[in-house]
Amino acid sequence: MSKVIDLRSDTVTKPTQQMRQVMAAAEVGDDVYGEDPSVNRLEALAAEMLGKEASIFVPTGTQSNLLALLSHCERGDEYIVGQQGHTYKYEGGGAAVLGSIQPQPLDYEADGTLDLARVEAAIKPNDPHFARTRLLCLENTQAGKVLPLDYLKQARAFCDRTGLALHLDGARLFNAAVALEVPVSDISDQFDTVSVCLSKGLGAPVGSVLCGPQELIDKARRWRKVLGGGMRQAGVLAAAGIYALQNHVARLKEDHEKARLLAEGLTEVPQLNVVGAAACTNMVFVEVDPDRSAQMKAYLAKRDMLVGNAATMRLVTHLDVDPEDIERFVGEVNEFFERAA
Ligand SMILES: *Cc1c(COP(=O)(O)O)cnc(C)c1O
């Protein structure tokens, strides 16, 4: 059987042999008692890398963002977020469902930022008619796009002036830092809290970390238990996270390079439109004629190549695809359109 080339997401990566070895050898204890040395090491390492007082290891990015929202906001509070923001659109409405926290979504600008003048206009007056606007939530990378550092500084100053807290859904924070060639703390410094996925481009099988001030992380720890996220001998998973943070950050550059190769290859295919004409970190977005898209997907699947569903197809590079896989993939896409012609 030929190798499966899975470009649906960077969540599909499997732990490497070396990662599995450190997982197998991990020291463990009961983390609900705070006694898992590997979890404690991971939390200390993540906090140090992001320049925060504390961090907490959680099963998923969804839970990490939810803990941040529950810890910043009370019942009847509101957070401002992108219309396509993961915490708003792709997390089952958790903040509203479980926290009685109201979202105020706004459209993203083309570069993945939220216009701060529009954010300001959306802040509710202090009046019993309105929810209390408490928090601004940004995403970086946003659909693969890296938010400019200048913008992040403006967002920090804006939140200081307006009294909002500032949370970053940094599921792919390290992709942004590697793309900008800056230490990750240059980005995280601008935020009160930052959530990072270990299970995407970093290649761990499971887990995210929420980093922030001690007091807020203490609150999050309470909510994690309430949500059923208090894991016991979680050190086997945390060990993978430590390995990922120590060994898989710099190599994200290779994923970005592969995405660039992919974008270049697909730009040559007349029936496709590569959106934005360039790769964004590890993602490429491609418009396909809606009548062809399902057929193309099925054609590729027969050749063990997996792509997403939407009309604008998102292709994501990661640890488990090689430059040769990208070449083969582009070759098959060309073949599909030649046969269909
Ligand atoms: C994947 C992702 C999450 C959530 O991560 P899960 O571990 O899948 O729950 C949050 N935000 C963004 C931007 C993501 O891409």
Side-chain angles (χ1 to χ4, degrees), residues 52-55 192-194 210-214 216-217:
K52 299 294 177 207
E53 249 173 23
S55 95
D192 298 298
T193 49
V194 181
L210 176 66
C211 304
Q214 186 70 53
L216 202 130
I217 299 302

Side-chain angles (χ1 to χ4, degrees), residues 51-326:
K52 299 294 177 207
E53 249 173 23
S55 95
I56 181 167
F57 179 51
V58 293
T60 63
T62 298
Q63 185 171 108
S64 185
N65 282 322
L66 179 57
L67 293 181
L69 290 162
L70 290 169
S71 304
H72 281 293
C73 301
E74 304 288 328
R75 180 180 189 210
D77 286 352
E78 171 183 86
Y79 71 111
I80 298 177
V81 61
Q83 195 70 249
Q84 308 298 325
H86 205 280
T87 63
Y88 169 60
K89 192 165 176 186
Y90 298 99
E91 298 181 1
V97 173
L98 300 164
S100 301
I101 302 161
Q102 163 174 294
Q104 169 62 70
L106 299 176
D107 287 333
Y108 282 121
E109 301 302 306
D111 63 358
T113 62
L114 287 173
D115 181 309
L116 296 173
R118 295 182 55 213
V119 173
E120 183 151 22
I123 297 176
K124 314 286 183 289
N126 181 6
D127 171 315
H129 287 87
F130 304 113
R132 292 168 303 236
T133 311
R134 193 69 81 195
L135 175 73
L136 173 60
C137 181
L138 298 175
E139 199 170 294
N140 197 11
T141 60
Q142 202 287 312
K145 286 172 279 202
V146 180
L147 304 194
L149 280 180
D150 270 355
Y151 171 78
L152 301 185
K153 286 180 191 154
Q154 286 162 23
R156 174 74 267 165
F158 168 81
C159 286
D160 289 343
R161 177 165 66 75
T162 53
L164 300 187
L166 185 55
H167 172 68
L168 180 65
D169 177 354
R172 298 186 178 84
L173 171 69
F174 283 95
N175 292 84
V178 165
L180 292 174
E181 300 183 321
V182 298
V184 74
S185 57
D186 279 14
I187 298 173
S188 55
D189 278 353
Q190 308 303 330
F191 294 86
D192 298 298
T193 49
V194 181
S195 170
V196 183
C197 286
L198 303 167
S199 61
K200 296 202 166 155
L202 293 179
V206 169
S208 283
V209 282
L210 176 66
C211 304
Q214 186 70 53
E215 195 185 345
L216 202 130
I217 299 302
D218 290 345
K219 255 175 138 174
R221 202 169 288 281
R222 182 180 171 77
W223 279 120
R224 185 184 69 173
K225 193 76 182 81
V226 174
L227 295 175
M231 300 182 287
R232 302 294 177 172
Q233 285 72 37
V236 281
L237 300 173
I242 294 169
Y243 184 88
L245 287 174
Q246 290 178 336
N247 298 280
H248 286 172
V249 171
R251 63 151 305 284
L252 291 171
K253 204 179 160 106
E254 296 166 28
D255 295 346
H256 302 173
E257 180 59 22
K258 284 177 283 188
R260 200 182 56 75
L261 275 178
L262 181 59
E264 276 174 14
L266 295 179
T267 301
E268 302 292 309
V269 183
Q271 295 88 344
L272 296 179
N273 180 32
V274 176
V275 182
C280 293
T281 55
N282 67 335
M283 293 186 191
V284 178
F285 292 87
V286 182
E287 284 170 352
V288 191
D289 179 346
D291 297 337
R292 288 280 183 77
S293 135
Q295 227 184 331
M296 173 174 147
K297 185 179 152 139
Y299 178 92
L300 292 169
K302 268 197 194 146
R303 287 150 186 84
D304 288 328
M305 298 179 182
L306 306 180
V307 297
N309 254 337
T312 302
M313 207 175 263
R314 185 187 76 163
L315 303 170
V316 189
T317 57
H318 50 74
L319 194 56
D320 292 348
V321 289
D322 304 322
E324 301 77 62
D325 298 335
I326 299 296

